[in-house]
Amino acid sequence: GGGVIGCEFATVYGELGIRTTVVEMFDRLLPTLDRDTSQAVTESLKERGVDVRTGTKIITMKATKKTVSADLEGGETLKAARALIAVGRVANVEDLGLEDAGVELQGRIIRVDDACRTSADGVYAVGDCAAALQYAHLASRMGAIAADNATGHAVRDPLAVVPQVVYTHPEIAMVGLTEAEARATGRDIRVARFPLASTGMARAFGDTAGEVKLIAEKAHGEILGAVVIGQHAADVIEELTIAIRNELTVEELAHTIHPHPTFVEAVHEAAELWLGFPIHTTAG
C-alpha cells in the first residue's frame, strides 16, 4: 500500500538502506491527498532507492520461513524477506452489541453528530471508530468534545477542518480541499506556490526541498485548502488550519507580520504571491 503509513515506513526503510518496493493499486502514491504531495514523496522515495509500483495490484501472497512472494497482476512476482501490509485499517466495531444498544453505523464507522453523540442516548463515540480520518489529533479533539457533553457542558464542533500529516522526507501536511477538489466545486480559484528554496531558514537548515501551496477563491480570497511540503510542515500547517477554520482570506494572511527567519514565513510569502505582489520569488 502506498498510502500514509506505507510511504512513512518506505521512507524509514529506504533511509536505512533496506531494499524496498512499494506496491499501490491506484495510479499514484497518497491517492487521497493533493497530487503535488504524491509527486514530492514519489521523487523522494526513488532518490532513496525505493522501487515504486503504482497502478499495480497484488493478486496473491505466499510466505515461507525465509521469504514472502507477491504475484502481481500481469504475471510478475516480487520476492522479499518481509512484507508490510499497509492497505488501510477498519474500525473494530463488530460483535460489540452496538445494534442491540441502538448505536447506528455508517458502513464500518459509528455515526455521531457534532457533539460526538451516537444514536443511542448517553452513548458517545470518538476516534477511529467514529471518523473517516484516522489521526490521533482528531481523536483527541473528539474525546474532549464527548467528555464535555457527557458532563453537561454543551460543546459542538463539525470537525470539518482537520490537518493531515505524512511523516516522510520531505514532510507533508495539508488541510482543507485539494486543488482537484476545489476546482470540482465549480468556483473560480487561484493557486500560488512559494518554494522553500527562497526562505532563509530552509537554507540555514541545508534542506530547501518543498513549498507552501495556497488554494483560494479568486473573488474574495477565501482560503479553501493548503499544502506544505518540507521541513516542519506539520507545524507550519497549523496557521493555515486556523485560517480556514475561521474563514480568513489570503489578504489577511499577507497583512499579518510573520517572524523572520522561520519556516512559517513561507505562508506569508505564498499569500503575497497569490495576491500578485511577491517580493522574494517570481514562481507561481
Side-chain angles (χ1 to χ4, degrees):
V4 172
I5 295 175
C7 288
E8 289 176 341
F9 273 92
T11 298
V12 173
Y13 297 149
E15 293 187 348
L16 289 174
I18 300 171
R19 289 181 58 191
T20 304
T21 301
V22 178
V23 181
E24 168 57 48
M25 64 178 292
F26 288 100
D27 65 351
R28 62 186 178 94
L29 299 181
L30 303 175
T32 62
L33 302 186
D34 193 273
R35 187 169 289 274
D36 286 350
T37 67
S38 301
Q39 181 177 345
V41 171
T42 300
E43 292 175 355
S44 173
L45 289 177
K46 288 182 176 179
E47 288 175 358
R48 288 164 171 76
V50 176
D51 183 7
V52 177
R53 307 287 190 95
T54 55
T56 305
K57 290 183 180 180
I58 294 178
I59 305 302
T60 59
M61 294 185 70
K62 299 176 183 178
T64 68
K65 291 183 178 180
K66 293 184 177 180
T67 63
V68 177
S69 62
D71 297 325
L72 306 183
E73 191 175 53
E76 185 181 2
T77 298
L78 300 178
K79 291 187 177 182
R82 297 286 188 273
L84 171 66
I85 310 300
V87 293
R89 300 171 294 176
V90 294
N92 184 16
V93 294
E94 295 180 343
D95 302 322
L96 298 179
L98 297 179
E99 296 84 356
D100 295 335
V103 176
E104 296 179 1
L105 299 175
Q106 289 180 318
R108 291 292 299 269
I109 297 175
I110 297 173
R111 184 175 65 83
V112 296
D113 62 11
D114 59 4
C116 291
R117 294 176 300 200
T118 70
S119 54
D121 187 39
V123 179
Y124 297 80
V126 306
D128 295 355
C129 70
L133 293 177
Q134 298 174 340
Y135 286 102
H137 46 273
L138 174 58
S140 180
R141 174 60 177 155
M142 294 178 75
I145 294 169
D148 277 338
N149 283 285
T151 54
H153 305 282
V155 175
R156 293 182 177 275
D157 190 336
L159 302 172
V161 183
V162 180
Q164 302 181 61
V165 181
V166 187
Y167 292 102
T168 50
H169 292 158
E171 196 167 284
I172 302 292
M174 65 164 287
V175 66
L177 301 179
T178 66
E179 182 178 346
E181 289 170 342
R183 294 191 187 282
T185 65
R187 285 181 280 189
D188 190 12
I189 69 167
R190 178 184 298 156
V191 176
R193 296 175 174 86
F194 184 82
L196 291 189
S198 295
T199 68
M201 187 60 83
R203 288 182 174 276
F205 270 68
D207 185 354
T208 58
E211 66 178 9
V212 171
K213 175 180 177 181
L214 293 182
I215 306 159
E217 187 176 21
K218 277 187 180 181
H220 305 291
E222 179 187 355
I223 304 167
L224 304 176
V227 177
V228 181
I229 300 172
Q231 295 187 74
H232 297 279
D235 301 315
V236 174
I237 202 66
E238 182 57 21
E239 175 180 6
L240 292 157
T241 302
I242 294 172
I244 293 176
R245 180 180 172 91
N246 292 279
E247 299 181 349
L248 300 184
T249 66
V250 176
E251 185 175 19
E252 288 171 318
L253 279 183
H255 291 171
T256 299
I257 299 173
H258 289 68
H260 169 79
T262 58
F263 285 105
V264 76
E265 68 181 321
V267 173
H268 176 257
E269 300 275 9
E272 290 185 333
L273 181 60
W274 190 95
L275 291 170
F277 50 87
I279 297 176
H280 297 111
T281 185
T282 58

